[in-house]
Amino acid sequence: MFQAVRDEWPEPMDQLAPQALTRMLKASADPTSLRLLVLLAEGELNVTDLTRILDQSQPRVSRHLKLLVEAGLVERFRDGSWVFFNLAERGAGRRLTELVVALADGG
């Protein structure tokens, strides 16, 4: 399984800065962050949706989203007055989220 991930990685793994990989892994390690990644794998959502689904406070959800965005695992975009989140569309963040979500789903 890991060889397949290595073969499909969009950039040579040795060129991915260890600090960037560490930041991505740390951001996805928390149970709330992991749940956010699994939810966002289904499609874009806003903070209101996520707080309702997770039954957690808005500041807590926003903090986890901020860390996931900074790590390059999640993207943020504005549509009028609403802010939506989805998984990173490309790069190392995308490949890592695919692997993390697959493992979280029992794959």
Side-chain angles (χ1 to χ4, degrees), residues 25-74:
L25 292 171
K26 282 182 179 180
S28 64
D30 182 85
T32 298
S33 295
L34 184 56
R35 290 177 67 196
L36 286 167
L37 291 174
V38 171
L39 288 168
L40 293 173
E42 298 297 319
E44 64 190 39
L45 293 165
N46 62 40
V47 174
T48 302
D49 296 332
L50 292 166
T51 56
R52 182 180 43 79
I53 293 167
L54 296 173
D55 194 28
Q56 294 188 6
S57 70
Q58 179 272 323
R60 180 181 175 96
V61 171
S62 292
R63 172 73 176 146
H64 285 280
L65 287 167
K66 178 181 183 285
L67 294 173
L68 291 168
V69 168
E70 288 174 351
L73 300 173
V74 169

Side-chain angles (χ1 to χ4, degrees), residues 3 8 27 32 35-36 51 82 89 99 104 106:
Q3 183 60 42
E8 295 178 21
T32 298
R35 290 177 67 196
L36 286 167
T51 56
W82 292 93
E89 293 188 13
L99 178 61

